[in-house]
C-alpha cells in the first residue's frame, strides 16, 4: 500500500499569514499520462471532507485561489495564502494512483 | 444540487451485522463510481470500499475484506455497505462519497456505527 505522511503546522497560524502543509508518498504518484494523482481535502470542524485540489495542483470548482498545490512525484505542498477563519480544520492528502486509496494522517490548521 | 444521505447506522454488538445505505440525488447516479470512507472517533480518514458505476469493479481495504460487501441499486439511486462480523475497531462515522474521475468530489454527512457490547 502507498503510505501518505503529512507534516504538522506550527499552530496557531496568525490570520493573514500564509501556511504550507506538506505530504509525502512512499511511491511516486506521477502516472505515465503525465498526471500526478494527489488530492487535497479539507474537513472543517463538524463537517464532511470537501475536495480542494486534485491532480496535485488543479483547484476544484469554487475553491479560493488562495489555495495552491505543488510538488514532485513523492513530495507535495498545499499552500494557503492569507489564512482566514474559514480555513480552520484538518487537511488531508490522498493518493488516487492505485487501490487501496490511502490518506495522510491529517494536518490541523488553527487560527491565531 | 448533489446530495448523498447515509442511513442505517447505530449501536451493534461485536460479531453482529449492519447494513448502511446512501441515497443519492441531484446527479445521474448510474454514471458514477462510489466509495465508502470511514473515520474513527478523533481519527483520520480511512477508505473502505469502491464500486464502479455498473458494479463491474469492486475493491476493498484489507481491514474489511471478507467481512464487508459494497453494492448498489442504480434503479433506486442507492449505495449499500453490508457489514458483518463487526469488531470494536469498526466503530466510526461512515461516509459515502462520489467518485468523479480521479477524486471524491461529493460526500455525505456520514452514518455513525458503534460496535460495543
Amino acid at each position: 500500500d502507498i503510505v501518505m505522511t503529512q507534516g504538522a503546522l506550527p499552530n496557531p497560524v496568525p490570520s493573514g499569514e500564509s501556511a504550507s502543509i506538506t505530504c509525502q508518498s512512499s511511491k511516486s504518484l506521477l502516472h505515465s499520462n503525465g498526471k500526478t494523482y494527489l488530492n487535497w481535502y479539507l474537513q472543517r470542524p463538524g463537517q464532511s471532507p470537501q475536495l480542494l485540489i486534485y491532480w496535485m495542483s488543479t483547484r476544484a470548482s469554487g475553491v479560493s485561489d488562495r489555495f495552491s498545490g505543488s510538488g514532485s512525484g513523492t513530495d507535495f505542498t498545499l499552500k494557503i495564502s492569507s489564512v482566514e477563519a474559514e480555513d480552520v480544520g484538518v487537511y488531508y492528502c490522498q493518493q488516487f494512483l492505485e487501490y487501496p486509496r490511502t490518506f495522510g494522517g491529517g494536518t490541523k490548521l488553527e487560527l491565531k | 444540487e448533489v446530495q448523498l444521505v447515509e442511513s442505517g447506522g447505530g449501536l451493534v454488538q461485536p460479531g453482529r451485522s449492519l447494513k448502511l445505505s446512501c441515497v443519492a440525488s441531484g446527479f445521474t447516479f448510474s454514471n458514477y463510481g462510489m466509495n465508502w470512507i470511514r473515520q474513527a472517533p478523533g481519527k483520520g480518514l480511512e477508505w473502505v470500499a469502491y464500486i464502479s458505476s455498473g458494479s463491474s469493479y469492486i475493491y476493498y481495504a484489507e481491514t474489511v475484506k471478507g467481512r464487508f460487501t459494497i453494492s448498489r441499486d442504480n434503479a433506486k439511486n442507492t449505495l449499500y455497505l453490508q457489514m458483518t462480523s463487526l469488531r470494536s475497531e469498526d466503530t466510526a462515522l461512515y461516509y459515502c462519497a462520489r467518485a468523479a474521475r480521479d477524486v471524491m468530489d461529493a460526500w455525505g454527512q456520514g452514518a455513525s456505527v458503534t460496535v460495543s457490547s
Side-chain angles (χ1 to χ4, degrees), chain B:
Chain B
E1 179 194 3
V2 172
Q3 277 202 317
L4 298 167
V5 180
E6 301 94 336
S7 62
L11 173 63
V12 62
Q13 292 180 326
R16 304 297 290 263
S17 300
L18 201 63
K19 187 172 187 177
L20 303 181
S21 300
C22 168
V23 176
S25 61
F27 65 101
T28 304
F29 181 69
S30 58
N31 286 351
Y32 289 85
M34 296 294 295
N35 294 276
W36 286 101
I37 301 99
R38 67 185 180 183
Q39 186 169 36
K43 302 297 183 181
L45 301 171
E46 179 189 14
W47 171 82
V48 172
Y50 166 83
I51 185 168
S52 62
S53 57
S55 304
S56 297
Y57 299 96
I58 290 176
Y59 303 98
Y60 296 99
E62 281 298 322
T63 52
V64 306
K65 195 177 289 185
R67 299 187 300 121
F68 289 12
T69 302
I70 188 172
S71 63
R72 64 191 295 161
D73 185 336
N74 286 343
K76 294 183 178 180
N77 290 343
T78 303
L79 173 73
Y80 302 101
L81 186 67
Q82 175 70 56
M83 303 182 292
T84 64
S85 302
L86 282 162
R87 307 165 180 167
S88 58
E89 53 265 37
D90 296 319
T91 294
L93 188 62
Y94 284 74
Y95 296 102
C96 64
R98 186 175 76 170
R101 300 182 72 179
D102 305 316
V103 298
M104 297 173 189
D105 71 336
W107 297 60
Q109 85 290 347
S112 179
V113 173
T114 301
V115 183
S116 175
S117 54

Side-chain angles (χ1 to χ4, degrees), chain A:
Chain A
D1 297 1
I2 298 176
V3 177
M4 307 298 292
T5 304
Q6 292 186 230
L9 275 174
N11 280 316
V13 178
S15 178
E17 296 288 304
S18 66
S20 291
I21 300 171
T22 61
C23 172
Q24 198 169 45
S25 60
S26 61
K27 175 181 177 178
S28 176
L29 304 184
L30 175 61
H31 193 274
S32 56
N33 63 11
K35 295 177 183 175
T36 301
Y37 287 88
L38 186 281
N39 303 328
W40 288 98
Y41 299 85
L42 164 61
Q43 186 174 32
R44 295 188 172 103
Q47 294 187 18
S48 304
Q50 65 177 94
L51 176 67
L52 293 176
I53 301 279
Y54 60 98
W55 295 339
M56 188 178 70
S57 59
T58 302
R59 276 188 301 276
S61 176
V63 174
S64 169
D65 59 6
R66 296 185 298 102
F67 291 89
S68 61
S70 63
S72 62
T74 57
D75 293 274
F76 312 98
T77 302
L78 175 70
K79 183 176 180 181
I80 312 165
S81 62
S82 191
V83 169
E84 300 178 358
E86 65 179 21
D87 303 333
V88 165
V90 181
Y91 291 80
Y92 294 94
C93 60
Q94 179 207 34
Q95 63 82 16
F96 232 77
L97 183 68
E98 59 186 45
Y99 287 95
R101 305 302 195 209
T102 45
F103 292 88
T107 300
K108 191 171 188 178
L109 173 64
E110 297 171 330
L111 198 64
K112 188 174 186 180

